[in-house]
Amino acid sequence: MAKVIVDVPAKQTDRPFDYLIPANLLGCISPGMRVVVPFGPRKVQGFVVAVETQSSFDHLREIIEPMDIEPVLNEELLYLSDWLTEHTLCYKISAFQVMLPPALKAKYEKKIKLKSRPFIHELDEAIRPFFYEKDILHWDEVLKSGQLSVFQKSTAAGKLEVLYEVKERVKKKQVKMITSLVKKEDLDRLEIKSGKQKQVLEYFADNPESIERKYLLKTLNISSSVLKSLIDKGWVEETVKEVYRDPYEDRIIQKTEPLKLTNEQSAAIGPILSSIEGEKHEVFLLYGVTGSGKTEVYLQSIQKVIAQGREGIVLVPEIALTPQMVNRFKSRFGDQVAVLHSGLSVGEKYDEWRKIQRKEVKVAVGARSAIFAPFENLGIIIIDEEHETSYKQEDNPRYHARDVAIERGKRHQCPVVLGSATPSLETFARAKKGVYKLLTLSRRMNDHNLPDVQIVDMREELRDGNRSMFSRILHEKIEERLVKKEQIVLFLNKRGHSSFVMCRDCGYVIQCPNCDISLTYHRFNQQMKCHYCGYEAMVPNVCPECGSDHIRYFGTGTQKVEEELGKIFPEARVIRMDVDTTSRKGAHEKLLTAFYEGKADILLGTQMIAKGLDFPNITLVGVLSADTMLHLPDFRSSEKTFQLLTQVSGRAGRHELAGEVVIQTYSPEHYSIELAGEQDFDKFYQREMMMRKVHQYPPFYYIALITVHHEELLKVVDTIEKITRFLHSRLSRNTLILGPVASPIPRINNKYRYQCLIKYKREPGLTQILKEILDHYGKEAHTNGLQVSIDTNPFILM
Ligand code: ADP
Ligand code: ZN
Ligand code: ZN
């Protein structure tokens, strides 16, 4: 009998159901496998969580068929899913699914492949005949054979492997190739009238290999009609060739050797190494300024782990998953590294995941979800830039990768290393209390100084008659660099600062019809877009409110800055990096490489250029408006501002040339900007901790956010009021309940949103109480669309 969690995400089905294992599958079903089971009138997918001999129920239905030949979730991950469910209040099935690569979530065609021809002799006789004439069997054939257990054994022994045919992979990149069919010695016998055609055949006489069509046309400067007549005459042939897209394949990666550690680095790595050696779980905060050599500490810690025969996970923020960062791991550990990030196709992600599952690699480098890499013998988990908010998932299950890392670290008895130049307040507070071990790298490599930072008050600029988006000092410094041929990074904080469309006569701002938020103007297609629901519209010619035709867009987008740069510094070559210029696969890398190779003087961009850039020729960083994030309704806004400014500043002067930073702001007196200018995290930490204490926010209090969504305002208000009353009746007196209030964005996609925020220090029964709320309203979601969501550690309070 098997206990199965079915793929029906609902309150009533969030528990295991018992199913009989049919006789022909006895011994073939184990925990962590997916199966197809009958559920009511339907067939659904499910995960086996346990196999037992007895059930307390009668009349069990049978498992229809297995979906896997070996478990896709190991014992530890099954356990981890219990933990996830409990901590994020999600359904069991959501917890399983978040741990698997997307190829295993949807229905993809599954096949069993003989790994290599000679293995056929090593297969059991019962299944050998299946592979006499082909290497690949359909899953159906495997199921029908009645020999599943034999297939399983051969798979476990590495003779067979499972393939998932993902639709995307069919759309492999293809190129057209041209091959000549005319032999060199036959050339003279042909009657070739057209000189162009002759030219092509003569080219092939000297270069008999096939050539990509595109290059042929370009090299010989001929038109496609010339080629067409050659094809028609049968003199050349056009074929299609598939090219495999491994994003890291064609780069030559040079092997690097461990560097001799500095004294500071040695002192920092010591405790990590002894934790690895002693197989002891500890959490370290590696607190080191930008450029202090944290990555080398990661690399050498992993080296130790590999030497012990264990494995490591390295998390980096998605934006920082640049080839530059990935290469540092690949060049040290070669093909022992799997890379997981969102730029990969579904098939590529599955391939990387499979390398981990098959123990072909020792290290996984990836964004948030790589924390679920199915290693069985973890020796270290590293989270770089641990303060990054992208480590928190905002959809169900709303987990934070840091918490998952610590949980896995406990199970595997291995260290967790959190690295940052600007740790989150929560982490730093824990390190100060000794809950985490604090390791410090206080100096930049080779004692390069941190760059000089100058803060410019933009209000004064305006008072002095400068209406440009560049202060006089920044203008001057840009000019200087252009003359000296040094490089400049200009940073524009996009969040909370997008451009909007407004009528100059009546002040009307164009709003999204579905959400209570203004539309963002996109210059490249003259459209306005809602970033919450995706609504798009053309910019109207006249104001919908007053009919005036003075309708303009406002705000500073990167495009506008680029235009302005073109006017002021016409000689400067600018590369712009934002969502518009980097949406195509590989674009991000191309732009950075071009900048690295000196093909531009100025790199202009948003958040995505704040991290990981380590280019020697950057000597000036300009932040165009530092305070755009300060005024968001978020208790972390000061912290985020400080972190971002410090990160951006860290891009300058990392090598021989000294760096300078100019920060332009309208609130120079704000402590997060002032202290970012002084690059003084410790002082910032003290100030911000005071604020958090006064306003009762983390790390002094825990918070949980409840949001109600529905199309009818009254229903939303009524529900949130009931919930708030319920909370008041059940929670302790020291707990604060803020609200109910309308959410900062009160309507998204035509659904109204109200929320209440719980702040507490100790509330042992809270999980239970929140579950009760979810259970109570979970039933309503199906009948009337009322949605109640709870985030037990919210990062976005909107
Ligand atoms: P962080 O990760 O703290 O920002 P990095 O690891 O990028 O710092 O180090 C900054 C630079 O110093 C890199 O170019 C790196 O190769 C170099 N570096 C790091 N450790 C050493 C060392 N022990 N000896 C020499 N160079 C080092
Ligand atoms: Zn108007
Ligand atoms: Zn919208």
Side-chain angles (χ1 to χ4, degrees):
M1 187 273 306
K3 290 195 172 291
V4 176
I5 301 278
V6 293
D7 187 4
V8 182
K11 157 74 193 126
Q12 295 83 344
T13 50
D14 191 30
R15 62 174 179 85
F17 288 84
D18 291 359
Y19 286 92
L20 280 179
I21 300 173
N24 65 330
L25 293 179
L26 276 177
C28 298
I29 302 289
S30 50
M33 271 186 188
R34 296 170 307 154
V35 288
V36 179
V37 293
F39 193 76
R42 295 187 288 159
K43 278 202 228 171
V44 301
Q45 199 194 107
F47 284 83
V48 176
V49 290
V51 174
E52 289 169 7
T53 44
Q54 296 260 309
S55 170
S56 41
F57 299 96
D58 298 329
H59 309 299
L60 294 186
R61 297 171 78 179
E62 283 191 343
I63 287 176
I64 297 171
E65 61 189 39
M67 293 179 68
D68 297 308
I69 202 152
E70 49 192 359
V72 290
L73 292 172
N74 63 34
E75 194 188 333
E76 186 231 350
L77 291 178
L78 281 174
Y79 157 82
L80 193 65
S81 69
D82 287 337
W83 179 88
L84 259 185
T85 312
E86 189 65 24
H87 282 258
T88 68
L89 303 171
C90 71
Y91 295 129
K92 254 321 207 337
I93 192 76
S94 320
F96 292 145
Q97 273 161 352
V98 78
M99 298 198 257
L100 293 176
L104 295 181
K105 287 173 202 167
K107 285 204 178 89
Y108 293 102
E109 212 180 344
K110 190 169 26 181
K111 293 173 178 172
I112 300 291
K113 177 173 183 273
L114 181 63
K115 255 185 146 175
S116 134
R117 228 348 72 192
F119 284 161
I120 190 158
H121 306 294
E122 296 169 43
L123 290 181
D124 194 294
E125 277 172 21
I127 62 170
R128 197 182 300 158
F130 287 103
F131 295 99
Y132 281 161
E133 283 173 4
K134 52 186 175 184
D135 287 346
I136 296 179
L137 287 192
H138 278 274
W139 183 241
D140 282 346
E141 294 176 84
V142 174
L143 290 176
K144 274 192 231 123
S145 71
Q147 300 289 349
L148 188 67
S149 63
V150 185
F151 279 103
Q152 276 180 330
K153 260 185 243 134
S154 303
T155 308
K159 311 292 177 225
L160 302 177
E161 68 177 331
V162 188
L163 300 179
Y164 288 85
E165 296 261 305
V166 180
K167 291 204 184 63
E168 259 187 34
R169 302 209 66 189
V170 182
K171 278 195 266 161
K172 269 186 184 162
K173 194 179 164 199
Q174 297 182 327
V175 292
K176 288 186 179 146
M177 303 295 292
I178 303 294
T179 315
S180 169
L181 302 174
V182 179
K183 288 201 197 91
K184 191 172 180 173
E185 52 272 26
D186 296 339
L187 198 55
D188 298 333
R189 283 192 273 130
L190 296 176
E191 273 182 45
I192 310 168
K193 293 195 191 90
S194 140
K196 285 277 179 189
Q197 292 181 16
K198 191 162 184 178
Q199 192 193 343
V200 175
L201 293 177
E202 274 166 0
Y203 165 84
F204 277 116
D206 298 331
N207 310 276
E209 303 90 43
S210 307
I211 178 174
E212 203 177 316
R213 181 174 193 270
K214 177 167 86 185
Y215 294 128
L216 185 69
L217 296 183
K218 210 156 96 193
T219 321
L220 301 183
N221 191 22
I222 52 167
S223 68
S224 43
S225 63
V226 173
L227 209 50
K228 186 168 181 304
S229 18
L230 283 168
I231 295 169
D232 290 345
K233 289 185 178 137
W235 290 344
V236 303
E237 177 187 49
E238 184 177 288
T239 50
V240 171
K241 189 176 116 187
E242 276 186 0
V243 279
Y244 185 62
R245 288 189 287 199
D246 176 347
Y248 299 97
E249 180 103 304
D250 46 353
R251 205 164 306 119
I252 303 140
I253 294 177
Q254 243 151 28
K255 182 134 180 59
T256 59
E257 295 299 327
L259 300 169
K260 187 172 177 318
L261 296 183
T262 62
N263 290 343
E264 265 201 333
Q265 282 173 319
S266 302
I269 204 172
I272 302 177
L273 295 181
S274 46
S275 169
I276 296 169
E277 232 156 69
E279 308 204 357
K280 200 159 120 222
H281 169 65
E282 279 175 293
V283 182
F284 296 99
L285 168 59
L286 181 58
Y287 165 49
V289 295
T290 51
S292 60
K294 294 187 290 295
T295 312
E296 187 62 31
V297 172
Y298 303 153
L299 289 167
Q300 298 197 16
S301 304
I302 294 171
Q303 191 182 351
K304 172 99 191 171
V305 166
I306 295 179
Q308 269 198 337
R310 298 171 87 190
E311 299 129 0
I313 296 177
V314 184
L315 297 191
V316 297
E318 183 72 53
I319 315 179
L321 260 176
T322 54
Q324 229 194 350
M325 186 72 182
V326 170
N327 278 355
R328 293 182 73 175
F329 289 87
K330 285 226 166 189
S331 53
R332 189 68 56 91
F333 304 116
D335 47 15
Q336 299 191 82
V337 181
V339 182
L340 298 156
H341 66 88
S342 66
L344 301 181
S345 70
V346 172
E348 286 166 341
K349 268 186 213 148
Y350 173 67
D351 290 346
E352 295 296 296
W353 181 83
R354 197 171 52 169
K355 285 186 202 161
I356 300 168
Q357 214 204 14
R358 299 197 155 275
K359 306 192 167 57
E360 291 167 3
V361 293
K362 289 286 182 187
V363 185
V365 180
R368 180 179 63 225
S369 63
I371 196 60
F372 298 113
F375 285 124
E376 291 183 355
N377 199 6
L378 277 175
I380 195 166
I381 302 176
I382 294 164
I383 305 187
D384 190 31
E385 313 280 7
E386 71 87 31
H387 59 275
E388 268 296 307
T389 48
S390 63
Y391 289 130
K392 169 72 195 298
Q393 171 150 309
E394 293 302 332
D395 307 324
N396 261 322
R398 297 185 164 86
Y399 70 93
H400 196 298
R402 194 198 296 134
D403 301 332
V404 179
I406 292 172
E407 192 56 29
R408 291 196 79 181
K410 279 184 201 157
R411 286 282 288 198
H412 288 272
Q413 287 300 300
C414 74
V416 173
V417 179
L418 311 173
S420 179
T422 52
S424 66
L425 279 240
E426 286 95 325
T427 298
F428 203 67
R430 280 185 196 135
K432 287 223 148 180
K433 272 169 89 181
V435 182
Y436 300 163
K437 288 218 164 126
L438 183 62
L439 310 169
T440 309
L441 298 177
S442 60
R443 298 215 307 257
R444 274 189 153 185
M445 212 35 71
N446 304 328
D447 283 324
H448 290 147
N449 287 326
L450 283 167
D452 272 333
V453 183
Q454 202 162 348
I455 294 178
V456 183
D457 186 343
M458 288 307 272
R459 295 168 305 189
E460 242 165 61
E461 291 291 313
L462 205 61
R463 255 178 254 135
D464 294 347
N466 177 12
R467 303 183 148 272
S468 148
M469 58 178 82
F470 303 101
S471 58
R472 287 159 297 182
I473 184 91
L474 183 56
H475 188 127
E476 211 172 276
K477 288 190 189 299
I478 293 177
E479 231 161 23
E480 224 176 270
R481 302 303 133 117
L482 289 175
V483 171
K484 283 202 276 184
K485 303 252 174 284
E486 292 172 3
Q487 288 181 303
I488 304 156
V489 166
L490 290 181
F491 176 78
L492 186 72
N493 191 355
K494 193 80 175 133
R495 234 171 279 160
H497 198 113
S498 43
S499 21
F500 51 97
V501 179
M502 189 172 87
C503 169
R504 297 196 98 163
D505 283 330
C506 75
Y508 177 79
V509 175
I510 300 191
Q511 304 274 114
C512 172
N514 311 317
C515 311
D516 286 332
I517 196 148
S518 48
L519 293 173
T520 302
Y521 178 65
H522 284 253
R523 183 104 214 268
F524 73 106
N525 56 1
Q526 301 280 312
Q527 290 215 328
M528 304 175 299
K529 187 166 179 181
C530 171
H531 281 196
Y532 286 86
C533 74
Y535 173 86
E536 274 182 332
M538 295 301 285
V539 177
N541 294 324
V542 295
C543 168
E545 198 67 10
C546 74
S548 151
D549 57 3
H550 283 141
I551 192 145
R552 296 286 142 79
Y553 69 91
F554 285 81
T556 321
T558 39
Q559 289 162 326
K560 199 161 166 194
V561 179
E562 190 181 19
E563 256 177 41
E564 194 71 16
L565 280 171
K567 280 183 212 149
I568 313 178
F569 308 105
E571 75 282 14
R573 298 162 302 163
V574 180
I575 289 182
R576 192 181 102 219
M577 276 184 71
D578 55 25
V579 279
D580 294 337
T581 63
T582 56
S583 55
R584 250 187 297 132
K585 193 172 162 174
H588 190 254
E589 181 189 354
K590 257 198 211 123
L591 294 175
L592 283 184
T593 310
F595 189 63
Y596 178 70
E597 290 170 349
K599 293 190 179 131
D601 310 297
I602 302 180
L603 178 65
L604 162 68
T606 54
Q607 259 79 352
M608 63 179 72
I609 62 169
K611 303 192 178 69
L613 292 187
D614 187 7
F615 296 163
N617 204 27
I618 301 174
T619 60
L620 175 65
V621 169
V623 178
L624 295 177
S625 47
D627 29 12
T628 51
M629 219 163 38
L630 265 186
H631 311 296
L632 293 178
D634 178 351
F635 73 91
R636 288 192 177 87
S637 62
S638 306
E639 184 183 345
K640 286 183 190 157
T641 301
F642 180 86
Q643 286 164 346
L644 197 61
L645 293 179
T646 312
Q647 290 280 352
V648 185
S649 307
R651 298 309 115 215
R654 291 168 68 89
H655 296 260
E656 266 63 52
L657 301 170
E660 272 187 297
V661 179
V662 176
I663 297 178
Q664 304 187 154
T665 174
Y666 290 90
S667 20
E669 65 289 340
H670 192 284
Y671 64 93
S672 66
I673 292 179
E674 206 182 307
L675 294 174
E678 293 170 24
Q679 315 208 25
D680 193 335
F681 175 78
D682 295 279
K683 235 193 242 167
F684 171 78
Y685 170 77
Q686 277 158 19
R687 275 297 294 272
E688 182 65 11
M689 283 295 268
M690 241 164 55
M691 300 298 281
R692 299 284 179 91
K693 190 166 189 177
V694 171
H695 297 289
Q696 298 166 309
Y697 274 113
F700 295 95
Y701 280 73
Y702 295 105
I703 55 175
L705 180 70
I706 305 184
T707 312
V708 176
H709 324 239
H710 194 261
E711 279 160 21
E712 286 163 41
L713 182 60
L714 280 181
K715 179 108 193 138
V716 173
V717 174
D718 183 51
T719 310
I720 194 77
E721 276 176 355
K722 276 190 193 138
I723 291 176
T724 312
R725 275 201 299 277
F726 175 73
L727 288 173
H728 275 292
S729 74
R730 296 283 299 273
L731 296 178
S732 74
R733 269 215 223 142
N734 300 328
T735 293
L736 296 150
I737 301 168
L738 301 190
V741 289
S743 302
I745 301 170
R747 192 172 53 123
I748 291 181
N749 227 340
N750 283 321
K751 285 188 173 165
Y752 290 92
R753 313 166 75 232
Y754 267 69
Q755 65 184 35
C756 88
L757 185 68
I758 306 167
K759 294 181 179 178
Y760 63 100
K761 270 186 186 289
R762 232 187 80 78
E763 200 63 77
L766 185 65
T767 303
Q768 193 46 44
I769 293 167
L770 296 179
K771 261 192 197 158
E772 277 177 44
I773 294 174
L774 280 182
D775 289 356
H776 182 82
Y777 291 101
K779 289 176 200 126
E780 277 194 57
H782 290 290
T783 51
N784 63 12
L786 184 82
Q787 222 183 315
V788 176
S789 55
I790 299 184
D791 194 329
T792 52
N793 176 17
F795 266 66
I796 295 179
L797 296 180
M798 310 216 267

